[in-house]
Amino acid sequence: MKTVKVNLKDRTYSIYIGNSILSDTNLFKRYLTSKQILIVTNEKVAPLYLSIIEKHVGELDYETYILPDGESFKSLEYFNNVISKLIEKKFSRTCILIALGGGVVGDLTGFAAACYQRGVKFIQIPTTLLAQVDSSVGGKTAVNHTSGKNMIGAFYQPSAVFSDTSVLSTLPEREFSAGLAEVIKYGIIKDGKFFDWLEENLSSLVMRDEKSLSYVIERSCINKAEVVAEDEKEIGYRAILNLGHTFGHAIETALSYKKWLHGEAVGCGMLMAADLSRRLGIFEQSDLDRIKSLLIKTNLPVKIHKDVQFEQIYENMKIDKKSKEGILHLVLLKNIGEAFLTSEYSDELLKETIESFL
Ligand code: NAD
Ligand code: GLY
């Protein structure tokens, strides 16, 4: 088992990574320090992995809440259902919530933990690659508003993260590739050597080789933990984790969040950010080619979806929430391994980038 620490003073916690750690009785004993436990999961994950967790909580006063599957249930309505369950079962401030699932379950459960009686403990058990390398780490919790994604939320750190690589065996191919987009992101924004490693080892990774997976999850978590430790509430530096997201959100919005997965949009968006950086003369063509080639090998899109028009992307980018006082800030690149946030780019070149990806 590997352990990565997220250093945040009195909110420091560990991420445990390994094959079959969900069967580690001692690990669960160490963290389940309450008699009142609520496991939140969804209807797809429950039949696969709920029984493994139930073995650890059998003697406690545990409850489960099973969400329907899908982003549209990361809502205030389902958040309220979780809170109602806690109240109905008379759970006190010492209760512990367990989020068993992908980023949807993790974000909603984390937000419920942040709010219930002003904050109770929660443990993240991420079951998608995206959740293991990104959403379970760093304390961003949220639900969606009808008019915007992640509009209602809080920074609230978990007590621990248990990432079991064996649960990834049941993850559909497209979801796996979408998770790899976030993995590649760490290489591009701050870890050039990791990017080299990904280029050399992608074939074993896509075969879901256990050693490669645990290495990649560990390295991704180390990178994310370093950024979060420096800028927990995204005053500045943490924004580099959003590489490709402004482009990606614009595409997802144009597609009404239906045709592409988040990671697919982020993959294409990262390449667009690299393209704009190259047009600005601060990033090498050869590095752009390396990113494109790795995305293609990962089965991620390198062109904008055919149903999307130029104006949709351009206008959606302008209303992106990272637009501060009317000025759109973008994460751009100097090298593979060095990203920065800036508002200094030419609008003409941004338009050229969008055009070239249609
Ligand atoms: P998801 O939670 O919808 O999971 C994807 C699909 O895989 C779902 O159908 C799910 O039921 C299924 N699934 C989960 N685990 C499985 C398994 N082991 N085997 C088979 N199927 C499985 O999506 P996601 O990609 O994990 O997360 C996306 C969400 O995460 C979005 O809501 C996004 O906003 C959020 N997010 C949050 C952060 C953060 O920092 N908090 C970062 C990135 C993304
Ligand atoms: N996924 C971006 C962040 O955690 O800041």
Side-chain angles (χ1 to χ4, degrees):
M1 181 164 73
K2 294 173 167 160
T3 308
V4 175
K5 270 223 150 65
V6 184
N7 289 307
L8 289 166
K9 298 187 183 134
D10 58 331
R11 283 156 299 111
T12 294
Y13 57 95
S14 295
I15 304 161
Y16 300 96
I17 303 156
N19 189 21
S20 302
I21 61 165
L22 293 189
S23 306
D24 187 333
T25 314
N26 290 333
L27 187 65
F28 277 84
K29 267 199 184 131
R30 200 180 327 152
Y31 284 95
L32 296 184
T33 50
S34 169
K35 283 198 162 30
Q36 295 180 318
I37 309 285
L38 176 70
I39 306 167
V40 183
T41 184
N42 78 12
E43 60 194 10
K44 202 172 231 174
V45 177
L48 295 168
Y49 304 113
L50 181 57
S51 63
I52 305 178
I53 309 303
E54 282 178 326
K55 279 188 195 145
H56 300 290
V57 293
E59 285 160 23
L60 307 172
D61 177 14
Y62 85 91
E63 295 289 335
T64 54
Y65 183 82
I66 300 183
L67 290 156
D69 185 24
E71 179 72 31
S72 58
F73 304 103
K74 201 177 103 174
S75 65
L76 270 181
E77 184 190 345
Y78 283 86
F79 160 84
N80 193 45
N81 290 349
V82 171
I83 300 291
S84 298
K85 179 103 182 179
L86 291 164
I87 296 171
E88 182 197 320
K89 296 296 169 187
K90 299 190 170 49
F91 272 26
S92 73
R93 287 205 68 237
T94 57
C95 73
I96 298 175
L97 271 55
I98 295 177
L100 173 70
V104 167
V105 170
D107 279 14
L108 183 145
T109 309
F111 186 50
C115 297
Y116 187 60
Q117 300 196 10
R118 301 192 183 86
V120 298
K121 287 183 180 170
F122 85 111
I123 295 168
Q124 288 270 20
I125 305 187
T127 61
T128 62
L129 182 59
L130 181 136
Q132 294 191 347
V133 299
D134 189 0
S135 64
S136 67
V137 176
K140 278 190 181 177
T141 72
V143 294
N144 302 326
H145 187 267
T146 41
S147 49
K149 218 169 117 83
N150 297 326
M151 281 294 156
I152 309 153
F155 286 96
Y156 193 71
Q157 304 294 340
S159 306
V161 182
F162 301 167
S163 276
D164 191 326
T165 51
S166 68
V167 302
L168 300 178
S169 62
T170 52
L171 199 62
E173 209 65 54
R174 260 184 88 189
E175 296 288 351
F176 188 77
S177 294
L180 284 178
E182 302 285 358
V183 170
I184 293 169
K185 177 186 80 180
Y186 295 113
I188 301 175
I189 59 171
K190 73 183 283 293
D191 191 350
K193 287 212 168 85
F194 185 38
F195 189 92
D196 298 345
W197 186 93
L198 289 168
E199 286 182 315
E200 281 159 32
N201 295 278
L202 194 75
S203 49
S204 67
L205 193 53
V206 293
M207 300 293 287
R208 308 190 197 187
D209 164 67
E210 147 59 22
K211 257 193 167 163
S212 305
L213 275 178
S214 63
Y215 174 73
V216 154
I217 296 162
E218 179 191 29
R219 192 87 175 234
S220 299
C221 290
I222 289 171
N223 277 303
K224 181 152 187 184
E226 281 172 7
V227 175
V228 170
E230 204 168 306
D231 179 21
E232 183 186 7
K233 298 203 171 157
E234 203 170 310
I235 307 299
Y237 180 54
R238 184 168 175 162
I240 65 165
L241 294 174
N242 296 327
L243 173 71
H245 285 58
T246 305
F247 292 99
H249 282 151
I251 302 171
E252 285 182 282
T253 308
L255 293 169
S256 308
Y257 291 89
K258 289 206 169 92
K259 295 184 179 161
W260 270 6
L261 299 175
H262 175 68
E264 292 172 329
V266 166
C268 183
M270 293 193 299
L271 193 62
M272 292 175 79
D275 180 88
L276 177 56
S277 308
R278 201 254 319 149
R279 284 174 201 273
L280 286 163
I282 54 173
F283 192 67
E284 296 289 337
Q285 176 67 46
S286 55
D287 285 340
L288 180 67
D289 295 340
R290 286 176 69 196
I291 295 174
K292 186 171 181 180
S293 158
L294 192 57
L295 292 173
I296 290 171
K297 285 185 193 144
T298 312
N299 293 321
L300 288 163
V302 291
K303 282 272 177 200
I304 295 171
H305 193 284
K306 63 177 174 38
D307 296 347
V308 180
Q309 320 295 324
F310 173 87
E311 290 73 26
Q312 290 175 295
I313 301 289
Y314 188 67
E315 292 309 316
N316 288 344
M317 284 185 76
K318 297 270 151 164
I319 54 170
D320 187 280
K321 66 175 183 266
K322 281 168 284 299
S323 171
K324 289 179 191 153
E325 292 165 5
I327 303 161
L328 178 67
H329 287 66
L330 290 174
V331 181
L332 296 179
L333 300 170
K334 288 186 184 158
N335 296 296
I336 290 183
E338 193 179 357
F340 66 107
L341 184 68
T342 182
S343 60
E344 287 174 22
Y345 54 86
S346 133
D347 209 43
E348 280 316 303
L349 294 181
L350 171 62
K351 286 178 180 167
E352 279 182 25
T353 289
I354 299 171
E355 288 284 4
S356 71
F357 278 76
L358 289 167

